[in-house]
Amino acid sequence: MKRFFTFFIFYIMTLACGQALACDCPRVKEENWLPGVKKNINRTEFIFLGEVIRSNEKTFTLKVIDAFKGDIKADSILTGDSQRSGCLIIPNEGFWIIYANSVEGKLIEISLCGISRELTGLTTSTPPLVLEKASNASIDYEEYQNLHQITLVKNWVNEYALLTAYRNRQQKKVQPVSSKDYLAYLAIGLSAMAIVLSVVSMRRR
């Protein structure tokens, strides 16, 4: 059963990687996440925390919860589609961190090559691939999954702190934040993560 599950995960991720390669997407390493975040901040017009309230095969509608970049405000309703390219994401319903660009000022597009992702199931995400050791002994999948989930949570907390610092610099036009300010933003990120996890827990009951 475990071998079948491992094969299934590998098959799903192979398809996903195949799509990413078709779009020529460099993968951001989870072990070195913040440099990838900084690149995506510069490449995208809008960055925000949002809830996808409607989604189908071609279009989606979402509500902005917290905006970090771009001319958008909390509670704004945005729409988007993936009809112009196969390298665009149609997010499923849930809470997302979105890195997006606008299309003719009416729609937004979320690139498959970016780091937009769902936060609703952050701590239950499956690792991208289960590798085999050189000795051909299987890696302890449960341990591997636990470490992967810890990395995802840590990356999101740090990412939230970085995005908050970026927004504040743009609003106040001051010098880069000090380490003391960064710790304050980190605390905000931890609080935000706790809120997301509590929402997920309530929805599962």
Side-chain angles (χ1 to χ4, degrees):
M1 183 66 182
K2 183 177 180 180
R3 183 172 297 178
F4 171 80
F5 182 75
T6 301
F7 173 79
F8 178 76
I9 295 302
F10 175 81
Y11 176 74
I12 293 298
M13 293 313 303
T14 298
L15 292 179
C17 290
Q19 186 176 9
L21 290 173
C23 298
D24 194 22
C25 298
R27 180 175 175 269
V28 178
K29 294 183 178 180
E30 293 173 349
E31 300 78 12
N32 192 28
W33 189 253
L34 289 186
V37 174
K38 293 176 181 177
K39 289 181 180 179
N40 278 272
I41 288 176
N42 294 327
R43 292 173 179 171
T44 51
E45 183 180 355
F46 302 109
I47 305 174
F48 58 92
L49 184 64
E51 180 182 9
V52 180
I53 53 181
R54 282 188 294 277
S55 177
N56 56 43
E57 293 181 355
K58 296 182 178 181
T59 63
F60 60 89
T61 302
L62 50 80
K63 181 179 181 180
V64 177
I65 297 175
D66 193 9
F68 302 103
K69 182 181 180 181
D71 188 18
I72 50 175
K73 298 180 180 179
D75 295 329
S76 298
I77 302 297
L78 304 176
T79 58
D81 65 43
S82 67
Q83 299 181 57
R84 296 202 323 150
S85 169
C87 295
L88 298 175
I89 293 175
I90 290 292
N92 54 286
E93 294 181 5
F95 292 95
W96 284 68
I97 177 65
I98 300 291
Y99 293 75
N101 291 304
S102 63
V103 183
E104 300 177 352
K106 297 180 181 180
L107 301 173
I108 64 169
E109 291 182 341
I110 307 173
S111 174
L112 178 67
C113 296
I115 57 173
S116 299
R117 61 199 186 283
E118 186 179 8
L119 299 177
T120 307
L122 188 65
T123 57
T124 58
S125 298
T126 301
L129 185 64
V130 178
L131 301 176
E132 299 293 321
K133 294 182 179 179
S135 62
N136 293 325
S138 297
I139 292 175
D140 187 323
Y141 180 77
E142 185 175 353
E143 179 182 358
Y144 182 69
Q145 187 176 41
N146 289 338
L147 291 174
H148 179 253
Q149 291 172 357
I150 291 172
T151 299
L152 293 182
V153 173
K154 181 188 70 175
N155 285 344
W156 165 237
V157 170
N158 289 328
E159 182 178 350
Y160 188 89
L162 184 64
L163 291 174
T164 303
Y166 171 84
R167 175 179 59 194
N168 288 355
R169 286 199 302 269
Q170 298 306 306
Q171 291 175 343
K172 298 178 181 178
K173 301 297 180 181
V174 296
Q175 295 299 318
V177 294
S178 66
S179 58
K180 181 178 179 181
D181 291 330
Y182 184 83
L183 289 175
Y185 299 139
L186 194 60
I188 294 174
L190 286 170
S191 299
M193 192 67 238
I195 293 173
V196 171
L197 293 177
S198 65
V199 170
V200 174
S201 178
M202 290 177 62
R203 289 191 172 188
R204 289 177 175 173
R205 294 176 181 176

